[in-house]
Amino acid sequence: MPPVVPPFLIGLIVAPLAKRLLKPLLRGVVTTSVGVVMEVKKAAHEAGENIHDLAVEVAADMVAAQIAAGDGDRPTEGAASGGEKDETRTPKIRATAGAGAAKA
């Protein structure tokens, strides 16, 4: 009959070996995971910027199309209010922060 070794003695021997083997492995897994998360965040940020740029381009195209059409789809002031005035509204031109800074 083989000698009986108490389980706590096996634990005392195996624990330091497991620590030496598993610590570098676990460190590598965590390092890789953090690197993957950072890359995903970067890709998501770039995708958000691309979507924003696309939205700005589409808005600019829509405004350009409205200007080219001569603002024919806007109702006149007289038609909207029921009055007799038949003038179309003209858009107001606003100064941007960049334009004001260029003058100063």
Side-chain angles (χ1 to χ4, degrees), residues 18-104:
K19 183 179 177 184
R20 284 186 182 180
L21 295 175
L22 291 178
K23 187 174 181 180
L25 178 67
L26 194 59
R27 181 182 297 259
V29 168
V30 169
T31 303
T32 303
S33 300
V34 169
V36 168
V37 167
M38 296 299 284
E39 290 295 320
V40 167
K41 283 179 70 174
K42 181 179 174 184
H45 182 71
E46 288 176 2
E49 286 181 349
N50 289 340
I51 289 173
H52 179 70
D53 291 345
L54 182 63
V56 169
E57 288 177 16
V58 169
D61 289 344
M62 290 180 67
V63 168
Q66 286 179 352
I67 291 172
D71 290 328
D73 58 341
R74 282 189 174 176
T76 60
E77 287 183 19
S81 64
E84 296 178 12
K85 197 172 185 181
D86 193 26
E87 296 178 11
T88 58
R89 293 176 46 190
T90 58
K92 294 181 181 177
I93 300 174
R94 296 184 198 167
T96 60
K103 291 180 183 178

